[in-house]
Amino acid sequence: MVSGPNLKQQIDQKVQEIKQAVSGLSEEEASKKRGEDEWSVKEVLSHLSGDGSSDAVSLLDRVVKEDTPQMDIHPGQSYYEGRESIPLTELTSRVESTYSEMGTFLSGLSEDQLNRKAQVPLLKETPIGEYPTLGQLAGALINFHLNDHVNQLRNISQ
């Protein structure tokens, strides 16, 4: 059974893993790409901190407030353009703040709220399906999206 406090704990753990993966890197190392089609550490952090116009909590809150809202998720956007000069510490802080806010939001949700559904066309062909509950959506965000980027950051940082 998924609970809000448990989701918050999982998010907090992933944020700590992100911070560990990038600790000790110089600005030069964090800006360097390993390959033409790969992201730098700073690009990954920019992606995780979002686009700046809509935050993740607002999207998740729609599931609580609306009946089966459609969530259009567009993977692969780094949001790095225009952020190249932002220091690594600031990007890391933005990620921490974004996910801390999300964890706090999720920790306050009831079982009924976590069981509300959204329509996420991107997930149609996954085991979760096109109509995940808010708890499933948050779990996927933590266990797939965040986890993949933690591993990506660890690989880039080596």
Side-chain angles (χ1 to χ4, degrees):
M1 172 124 191
V2 174
S3 73
N6 182 264
L7 291 168
K8 181 185 183 325
Q9 183 180 24
Q10 291 177 50
I11 288 173
D12 291 346
Q13 176 62 41
K14 291 298 173 200
V15 168
Q16 289 308 310
E17 291 176 30
I18 288 167
K19 289 169 63 175
Q20 288 172 350
V22 303
S23 70
L25 291 178
S26 68
E27 288 295 320
E28 182 180 340
E29 291 167 326
S31 299
K32 185 179 176 186
K33 290 183 176 193
R34 284 188 151 189
E36 187 177 316
D37 294 331
E38 294 186 35
W39 286 355
S40 68
V41 165
K42 289 176 76 170
E43 284 176 290
V44 174
L45 296 175
S46 290
H47 168 75
L48 290 174
S49 64
D51 68 4
S53 66
S54 66
D55 60 87
V57 171
S58 296
L59 292 173
L60 296 176
D61 192 42
R62 287 185 54 212
V63 182
V64 173
K65 293 181 176 171
E66 299 175 26
D67 289 330
T68 319
Q70 181 169 330
M71 312 293 261
D72 293 317
I73 299 172
H74 306 284
Q77 295 176 338
S78 75
Y79 310 115
Y80 187 56
E81 189 173 318
R83 296 182 183 177
E84 297 89 350
S85 63
I86 297 175
L88 173 63
T89 55
E90 172 64 21
L91 289 172
T92 305
S93 179
R94 287 182 183 191
V95 170
E96 185 173 19
S97 176
T98 296
Y99 287 96
S100 175
E101 183 181 346
M102 182 185 298
T104 299
F105 172 77
L106 291 168
S107 71
L109 297 179
S110 69
E111 182 179 343
D112 286 344
Q113 290 171 317
L114 289 168
N115 285 324
R116 291 185 57 84
K117 291 191 179 252
Q119 180 185 12
V120 187
L122 179 71
L123 300 176
K124 187 175 186 172
E125 303 299 324
T126 71
I128 294 170
E130 186 174 359
Y131 293 92
T133 65
L134 179 53
Q136 289 173 317
L137 188 56
L141 177 70
I142 297 163
N143 297 306
F144 297 103
H145 182 251
L146 277 178
N147 195 59
D148 285 350
H149 287 303
V150 166
N151 289 330
Q152 181 184 22
L153 287 167
R154 285 178 179 147
N155 289 333
I156 297 170
S157 300
Q158 292 179 349

